[in-house]
Amino acid sequence: MLSRLMSGSVRNLEREFMCTVRLLDDTEYTCTIQRDAKGQYLFDLICHHLNLLEKDYFGIRYVDPDKQRHWLEFTKSISKQMKSQPPFTMCLRVKFYPPDPAALKEEITRYLVFLQIKRDLYHGRLLCKTSDAAMLAAYILQAEIGDYDPGKHPEGYSSKFQFFPKHSEKLERRIAEIHKTELIGQTPETSELKFLQKAQMLETYGVDPHPCKDVSGNPAFLAFTPFGFVVLQGNRRVHFLKWNEVTKLKFEGKTFHIYANQKEDKKIILTYFAPTPEACKHLWKCGVENQAFYKLEKSSQVRTVSSSNLFFKGSRFRYSGRVAKEVMEQSAKIKREPPEIHRAGLVPSRSCPSITHGPRLSSVPRTRRRAVHISIMEGLESLRDSAHSTPVRSVSHGDSFIPRSRSQAVDSGDGTAIISDESYSPSDSVLPTPVAEHSLELAVSRQINGAPCSIEEEKESEAGTPTVGDVAELGADSRVAGPVQSAGREAALSETEQVNKFVLSVLRLLLVTIGLLFVLLLLLIILTESDLDIAFLRDIRQTPEFEQFHYEYFCPLRRWFACKLRWVGGLLINK
């Protein structure tokens, strides 16, 4: 009896596995799910845990053992998507940025989007000029610690917060000045709303960068935003295509193609090279989903997309969710009491029940920028020792942090827009993260695929932000080889790959043609020579066209073949 019970419990354990999802406020949600559970089941559990109804903007991201990031597909089994063994670790992130975050129906949705954009700002994915940077940081301060209080906030208190990858003391003073004078009396809800409205106007709002190289071998970042497809290179936005201009997205191996129609029927094709085929496929799937979400009017218009023009070749993928317009219409129908939200309560009077049923950890990271010992309130000390354990550093660049906002950006004559005085590098804040000893081997073998070294780094390096090593390696390649040599290598590799792809395509086409001819011949023999009395075969045989073909073409052809076979047989017998 005991052995039977033990074997039954083992079988139950084999049918279940543990799954941990890191939320946007750095808390963790752990649950046990069935092995055959689909991604939608886990996502619904998290949304119920957060009391979230406007959930179509969010997704679950994970990193596979090859350090390639993925979005969990809700229509497929979780265990079949994960290449590693349980327990699984994933992250809840904003997958589709709202075109107008201020128009979101519920405050809890705006709050979660606020947390995501605050992460983007900290990790260097959201760029802005100095004046906007100061305003955004001041909004964060007001939302996190409330009104300025001289008794609790000593001189230099804003330096205890790390809002950006790099900023100067002058910017810190400006942040404190705005917080002290311009935001007094603002509630956290108002500060977060103002933050979202300001962030929405920036060039890189909603950018989730994918590291690639262009045809000349120069590093570039590709991204999909609520407004279209963006290519960032150096300190410029070299391409911006609106969603209604993008006609097709294709990939083959590591090569990614974007087809677009611009004004005056001007057709363009952009080609980029991803680090690995897996990274290229992920880039393609992200593009297909974003295009469907933002471009289509109804989810019924979604079609299965192929990565190739030939039906028997390439990957096929279909976006399975609702589109942006449907999400907005559904949100307008929400009628309920707003759920309570627990924000970073550094001031005791602002504490309130948590939506996650537990203490919320602040998402502002620990700073190791100066050896400054200032006696401040316990809340600020707890902020410094909060959930973000990624070591960061401050570099004084004066006012070098000066990209331009979307409202002030003007395309230059060559169609590019300068967004920063420095090269766009979303990895500036992602310094080396301590890992366990068993992970050191993985750390050494890091590849340039835009994903963190391990799943454990998802919390600190935001799972897929290109690392400093990645960008440094890309830059080193360009410096050592030089642009001419790099272009030559890329051209030679491209020509060889194109020849190989052409040969493979011809062979596939030949095999498929032979297969189709064999199937047609088999069907023809069944129709003409067999006595099968099946309804659809009988209907075909009774048509005038088939009878004409049978008596005028097939029967003479059969007699000719029979005659030739008898002649060949006679020759063989006579010999």
Side-chain angles (χ1 to χ4, degrees), residues 21-29 49-50 356 358-361 387 459:
V21 179
R22 292 180 178 138
L23 307 178
L24 283 161
D25 60 359
D26 289 325
T27 59
E28 293 184 350
Y29 175 77
H49 174 73
L50 295 174
T356 56
R360 181 188 182 278
L361 301 177
K459 184 176 181 179

Side-chain angles (χ1 to χ4, degrees), residues 38-40 62 71-77 81 285 317:
K38 296 185 184 297
Q40 186 66 53
Y62 67 94
W71 287 107
L72 189 70
E73 294 186 42
F74 295 158
T75 59
K76 296 182 179 180
S77 168
Q81 296 182 63
K285 291 171 72 173
F317 180 68

Side-chain angles (χ1 to χ4, degrees), residues 132-145:
D132 290 334
M135 202 72 211
L136 289 170
Y139 284 138
I140 295 175
L141 268 184
Q142 183 68 21
E144 297 266 343
I145 67 174

